[in-house]
Amino acid sequence: MASPPRNLPDVSNLVIAAQDQNREYPTADMSPHPDSTRGSDRTVLDPPQEYDYPGEDSRYEEPHRSAGFWEPSMKKIRGEVIFAWATTDGGPILILSTFIVGVLSLYWAVLFHVDKNVRSLTVHVVDFDGQVAPFDYVDTPVVGPLVTSVARQMFESTAQRSLGFTIVPPAQYGFDPIAVRQAVYDWHAWAAVIVNPNATALLQQAVVAGNASYDPTGAVQFIIQTARQETNYANYIVPQLEALAREFTAQFGPMWSSSVMSNSSVSREALARASAAVNPGVTPLSIDLRPFGPASATPSVTIGLIYLIIVAFFSFAFFLPIHMKFITPGAHPPLRFWQLIVWRIVATMATYLFVSLMYSFVSLAFQIPFWPEPGPTTEPAFNPTAYGRGSFPVYWMVNFVGMNALGFACENVAMIVGQPWTAAWLIFWVITNVSTSFYSIDLAPGFFKWGYAWPLHHIVQASRQILFDLHSEIGLNFGVLFAWCAINLCLFPFCCYVARWKMERERRNAERGAESYAVYDAVAENQKKHVPKEKGTLPPIRKRGFMRGA
């Protein structure tokens, strides 16, 4: 007889965990750990290793290990990398070497023929001595002829290259010494040597009459304006004018002293009273129509303008990702291509307007005077400006238009050449502009004549004219800068098309190995759909929304 069923407890809610004996697990060392406490019957398992994770076949595998550069396993890839480093895309080493020789050499070359071209720094020597009434009664002038003789000797000397000393007849200036100053101010000459009409007459009268108030600096004047190009004046013009003055004094002093002492009609008392008329007799006076200053103005017309190029260049990289949001499908359809071009032009110009204002504020913050009124063109003036209180807005506009001329060129080239060649373009753009703007093209080889058309040259010239009240060519400066802007804006849409084509080609090449490609679904707005294709083939050229409507 069967026994009645036994009342067993309900175990349906219990979870029993057990190991599957058929699966492979690593065995743990159950021996006592050497560091375990003595007398204890506990065992310590070894800590899990870094590679204790299952692979695709549920087996535990050790991950890859790094290898040394010279290990045999690296031989193949080592050769591929070295070969690509030396030869890919024409050879980076060859390209960089050619770039250094071809582009950086421009900076050295601009000063290569300075000694030969220093005579292009014209100095007009004008002798008015005894040729203008009421001092034309002097039969034999002694000051003017000696000055012109010394200048001619320096010009013809073979010992060293001299300035372009040019003997100009006083009739060319209407027998007016002030007209010579105006010629220097108007850039008809870099400097001038003026022998005043009364040079010999006053000197002789002072000796005879014993004039104690005679001023030896009133006979000969050197006219310069260092604000035009302070480097040229400091390195070439002023030193040679000083050499002319020394040579003149060395020849005039003994000749004049001997003439005076041999003149028996001159009393010793008169000579004692007019000692300055005897020795030195004549001392040339240097008159700087526009001194360069203050020192804080140096960056505004030289090195500081390099950052104007750099800021204009990097604005492309800063703002391009922001502009590209218009054509990246997301919560909106892509923008039409021609409208994207218009937006980029407007946004870039607005950026340059604001950035150029900040750049101009830096000069203002360091107290470069933008408020003094213009000075007289034939008299020395310290810190005058071209437009008085209107000088700062004009200075801002020069920087703004200059940034457009420099920046849009960078935008166009960056879209055409792409990375990494944009860095090479920046170096080329900086060097060619700096070489033809910070240094005088008059001293450069004839090859650099193209520098007169480069934008930074006209930014520098306009800035100097505004800050120092120099001879104005502001119309020409703005004209060249606007021409650069117009050319760059005309090329901008075509460069955008090239950039779009390059981006599309890279996208298609990236999708070559895929089994589908993505397109923007115009029906299901704001969505992408994937279209199947054969693996290894290029997807068809598709037109996105921002590519239509040009």
Side-chain angles (χ1 to χ4, degrees):
M1 184 174 180
S3 61
R6 302 171 66 179
N7 294 328
L8 299 176
D10 184 8
V11 295
S12 61
N13 294 327
L14 297 179
V15 178
I16 301 176
Q19 294 184 350
D20 186 357
Q21 302 297 327
N22 295 327
R23 297 179 61 183
E24 297 182 2
Y25 285 86
T27 59
D29 183 8
M30 303 303 294
S31 61
H33 195 277
D35 295 333
S36 59
T37 307
R38 290 187 178 185
S40 172
D41 59 354
R42 294 175 56 205
T43 59
V44 180
L45 296 178
D46 289 339
Q49 303 295 322
E50 292 181 354
Y51 51 84
D52 286 350
Y53 63 89
E56 294 181 357
D57 55 354
S58 298
R59 296 173 58 189
Y60 284 88
E61 299 177 351
E62 182 178 0
H64 69 276
R65 291 180 177 178
S66 59
F69 186 82
W70 298 108
E71 290 190 14
S73 60
M74 299 292 292
K75 180 178 180 181
K76 181 178 180 181
I77 188 62
R78 184 171 63 240
E80 292 178 359
V81 170
I82 294 176
F83 181 79
W85 168 74
T87 62
T88 299
D89 293 331
I93 296 298
L94 177 61
I95 292 176
L96 287 176
S97 300
T98 304
F99 178 81
I100 290 173
V101 174
V103 177
L104 298 188
S105 295
L106 293 173
Y107 193 74
W108 276 257
V110 73
L111 298 176
F112 185 62
H113 286 165
V114 167
D115 290 340
K116 295 181 179 179
N117 297 335
V118 72
R119 289 190 174 180
S120 63
L121 302 180
T122 306
V123 179
H124 286 183
V125 181
V126 190
D127 177 17
F128 295 97
D129 192 9
Q131 301 190 49
V132 180
F135 306 103
D136 53 355
Y137 64 86
V138 178
D139 296 330
T140 308
V142 294
V143 179
L146 184 58
V147 170
T148 56
S149 175
V150 172
R152 188 177 294 108
Q153 291 173 14
M154 292 184 62
F155 183 78
E156 296 174 352
S157 173
T158 58
Q160 64 176 2
R161 296 286 182 175
S162 70
L163 298 173
F165 290 107
T166 304
I167 310 300
V168 179
Q172 181 172 325
Y173 289 106
F175 297 96
D176 183 7
I178 299 300
V180 182
R181 296 190 183 190
Q182 186 66 45
V184 174
Y185 179 84
D186 292 336
W187 296 0
H188 298 311
W190 281 87
V193 178
I194 301 175
V195 183
N196 286 323
N198 58 357
T200 300
L202 290 185
L203 181 62
Q204 292 176 347
Q205 291 175 6
V207 171
V208 173
N211 185 2
S213 62
Y214 172 78
D215 183 6
T217 63
V220 180
Q221 297 175 346
F222 296 159
I223 310 301
I224 59 175
Q225 53 173 353
T226 54
R228 179 181 176 182
Q229 226 298 340
E230 65 280 1
T231 303
N232 283 0
Y233 284 95
N235 293 342
Y236 313 113
I237 298 176
V238 172
Q240 291 209 27
L241 290 179
E242 292 176 347
L244 187 148
R246 289 193 299 270
E247 183 63 25
F248 168 79
T249 303
Q251 295 186 27
F252 180 79
M255 179 195 70
W256 177 244
S257 299
S258 175
S259 175
V260 170
M261 298 305 295
S262 63
N263 190 350
S264 59
S265 63
V266 179
S267 65
R268 295 294 181 266
E269 293 78 6
L271 293 178
R273 290 195 302 269
S275 58
V278 178
N279 186 21
V282 174
T283 300
L285 174 66
S286 181
I287 298 177
D288 194 347
L289 298 178
R290 293 295 183 270
F292 181 87
S296 57
T298 301
S300 300
V301 293
T302 53
I303 300 300
L305 289 170
I306 294 178
Y307 304 110
L308 200 68
I309 304 176
I310 295 175
V311 171
F313 173 82
F314 281 105
S315 66
F316 171 79
F318 288 157
F319 293 102
L320 185 62
I322 299 175
H323 301 324
M324 291 299 103
K325 291 183 179 181
F326 277 123
I327 63 173
T328 303
H332 62 84
L335 184 66
R336 289 186 175 89
F337 184 56
W338 70 269
Q339 293 180 343
L340 175 67
I341 294 176
V342 174
W343 160 254
R344 284 189 59 187
I345 292 175
V346 173
T348 302
M349 286 186 174
T351 300
Y352 291 161
L353 182 67
F354 179 76
V355 172
S356 63
L357 177 61
M358 296 299 103
Y359 174 85
S360 303
F361 275 152
V362 173
S363 297
L364 188 64
F366 284 90
Q367 299 182 8
I368 296 177
F370 284 97
W371 50 89
E373 294 298 321
T377 60
T378 58
E379 295 294 335
F382 297 91
N383 298 329
T385 61
Y387 308 106
R389 295 189 178 276
S391 296
F392 182 79
V394 180
Y395 176 73
W396 173 25
M397 287 299 100
V398 169
N399 292 327
F400 168 62
V401 180
M403 282 198 74
N404 279 274
L406 296 165
F408 273 105
C410 293
E411 297 244 352
N412 290 340
V413 174
M415 288 188 287
I416 294 295
V417 302
Q419 294 292 346
W421 309 114
T422 52
W425 157 257
L426 176 61
I427 296 175
F428 167 81
W429 198 226
V430 169
I431 288 179
T432 55
N433 276 282
V434 167
S435 300
T436 55
S437 58
F438 295 173
Y439 304 101
S440 177
I441 301 179
D442 292 340
L443 296 177
F447 167 78
F448 287 91
K449 296 298 182 184
W450 50 263
Y452 287 114
W454 243 231
L456 193 64
H457 175 81
H458 292 274
I459 298 174
V460 170
Q461 295 301 314
S463 299
R464 287 181 179 274
Q465 186 262 325
I466 295 168
L467 295 177
F468 308 124
D469 186 30
L470 298 179
H471 170 64
S472 178
E473 292 183 344
I474 196 73
L476 174 64
N477 302 141
F478 269 115
V480 173
L481 294 177
F482 277 124
W484 273 94
C485 295
I487 294 173
N488 287 325
L489 289 177
C490 290
L491 295 176
F492 189 79
F494 298 100
C495 296
C496 290
Y497 271 99
V498 172
R500 182 191 68 178
W501 172 78
K502 292 173 62 178
M503 182 179 65
E504 174 63 16
R505 185 182 63 173
E506 292 174 0
R507 180 69 63 87
R508 294 179 67 218
N509 289 333
E511 293 175 340
R512 181 192 293 270
E515 296 181 348
S516 63
Y517 61 92
V519 296
Y520 175 75
D521 193 346
V523 178
E525 190 170 318
N526 303 332
Q527 294 183 10
K528 286 183 179 180
K529 68 177 182 180
H530 295 272
V531 180
K533 72 172 186 66
E534 184 178 349
K535 190 174 182 179
T537 61
L538 286 173
I541 299 176
R542 61 248 192 216
K543 292 186 176 182
R544 296 174 175 82
F546 77 95
M547 294 185 181
R548 296 196 298 266

